[in-house]
Amino acid sequence: MISIIIPLYNKGKYIEGCLLSILDQSYTDYEVIVVDDGSTDNSLEVVRELKKKDPRIKIYTNAHGGVSTARNTGLENANGEYITFVDADDTLVDNYLERLLGFKDADLVVSGLIEESNERNRINAKTGEIRRLNFSEFMFNYQNFPIFSIVCTKLYKSNIILKNNIRFRDRQYGEDTFFVMNYVSHCENIVVIDYFGYVNQILEQTLSRKYIQNMWEVVEPIPSELNNVFDLRHGKEWQYLYIRSIKLSLLNNRNRTEIFREECNEIAANDDFKYLSLLKSKRVSDLIIVILFKMKLHSFLQLLYKRIYR
């Protein structure tokens, strides 16, 4: 059986479509664990109505504590041999579960991701080739890291999660990355499949599109902690994560000149900044970041980001 965990907070407009896509799956041996995180809209009422029609839907309610707490509640109540996570505003292609279960020998199965935006009329598919990977190949694939580091699009084994007490951290940003990397560090066989079965709805109110105060303080611990936990020794894998955090900070503050410069100075003063090296970067965008920071051309960096991300 598969336990499908859905954290829910004020997604009354989308949760019905999400659940209907699950109830329409070709594989039927699953439970749907919906954890309401203190919604103030009609989200819970929508789920309760669907539960009347299908007992595989189970509802748990929390006081508002964030997505990590909600997902952990789901893990604590899961009964399946396998675990997968779905966000309340996303949907699944009708044979998604069946395709993931086609690789039962794997410790982790990763599906491709389709991004949809009605406002932009955009469909973007990521990954799409069958590969068997080890830990380093999986987590530090430069092209596909954005999908590898999110918790959805994957089928996990419950026994690995339970045996190693893997849980979500209560973070404002990056909770997915820590969970996935912790899990993958206990895997021997990871399979990425040539299939796009998870549909991610791009919404304007998603966290990645919100302005976050003190963004560098929020994202800097990600490469720092992962460097220590996985003994990356400030190598090329660490630098990729570190520059990714820098990019998130720059993007977040590109329209706030004073704050942008303050965060650039804070980044340059960071203890790990001295480990940045041109020799560790393969991507042109990463090389540009390193060069401009080394030359202290922070104003040019801001102009560049404002032009690229209008």
Side-chain angles (χ1 to χ4, degrees), residues 11 14 89 116-120 122 201-211 254:
K11 288 294 191 295
Y14 305 99
D89 47 15
E116 285 190 352
S117 172
N118 292 331
E119 295 178 3
R120 296 177 180 80
R122 179 181 67 175
Q201 303 293 335
I202 305 299
L203 307 176
E204 287 301 323
Q205 63 268 35
T206 56
L207 178 60
S208 60
R209 297 177 182 272
K210 289 181 179 178
Y211 173 71
R254 68 190 184 281

Side-chain angles (χ1 to χ4, degrees), residues 5 71-78 83 85 166-168 179:
I5 298 174
R71 285 175 176 156
N72 286 337
T73 297
L75 287 173
E76 290 160 8
N77 290 281
I83 301 284
F85 297 92
I166 301 172
R167 292 293 185 271
F168 289 89
F179 181 91

Side-chain angles (χ1 to χ4, degrees), residues 8-16 41-43 46:
L8 176 64
Y9 181 70
N10 289 350
K11 288 294 191 295
K13 182 179 178 181
Y14 305 99
I15 185 60
E16 182 176 14
D41 66 355
N42 67 331
S43 296
V46 173

Side-chain angles (χ1 to χ4, degrees), residues 6-46:
I6 305 175
L8 176 64
Y9 181 70
N10 289 350
K11 288 294 191 295
K13 182 179 178 181
Y14 305 99
I15 185 60
E16 182 176 14
C18 173
L19 289 174
L20 289 177
S21 76
I22 294 172
L23 298 179
D24 194 38
Q25 289 292 301
S26 56
Y27 179 82
T28 58
D29 186 17
Y30 59 79
E31 61 177 357
V32 185
I33 299 175
V34 179
V35 183
D36 183 73
D37 190 41
S39 293
T40 57
D41 66 355
N42 67 331
S43 296
L44 201 51
E45 288 78 3
V46 173

Side-chain angles (χ1 to χ4, degrees), residues 52-71:
K52 293 177 182 178
K53 302 175 183 178
D54 198 314
R56 290 175 297 182
I57 298 175
K58 301 177 181 180
I59 302 173
Y60 297 88
T61 57
N62 288 346
H64 185 49
V67 66
S68 293
T69 300
R71 285 175 176 156

Side-chain angles (χ1 to χ4, degrees), residues 290-307:
V290 175
I291 291 171
L292 293 179
F293 259 99
K294 294 290 186 181
M295 297 178 68
K296 299 182 179 180
L297 296 175
H298 301 160
S299 296
F300 185 77
L301 260 175
Q302 184 183 13
L303 289 173
L304 187 64
Y305 265 76
K306 289 176 72 173
R307 189 170 187 84

